[in-house]
Amino acid sequence: GSEMCIRDSPLLRGKVIGGIYDNRFLIKLTKSATALLPEASLEIPYEGAKKMLLVDQLDDKALLSRLLQAMYEELPAPKKKRN
């Protein structure tokens, strides 16, 4: 369907916003993410990685939509690969 499935793709139109780590949906620490998820806990996705925000309101589609939209606009465009 046309419904966006976050689980399948942490890439949002070419930008990495986060990912699934040990059944946790973790996203990059951005201003918009912390503003929209003030209660979210900080977790380390894997050894040696920077802390990321834990998203546990996965049923709140409206919040997730706002969150991803805000993060997308905030994150830098992906670097073009040179051949």
Side-chain angles (χ1 to χ4, degrees), residues 6-7 23-25 55-61 64:
I6 297 167
R7 276 185 204 90
N23 294 324
R24 299 167 302 164
F25 179 40
V55 180
D56 51 13
Q57 299 97 319
L58 295 176
D59 297 332
D60 189 340
K61 299 267 191 301
L64 288 176

Side-chain angles (χ1 to χ4, degrees), residues 18-31:
I20 311 290
Y21 304 92
D22 302 322
N23 294 324
R24 299 167 302 164
F25 179 40
L26 302 176
I27 57 172
K28 287 185 177 180
L29 214 45
T30 65
K31 284 190 192 112

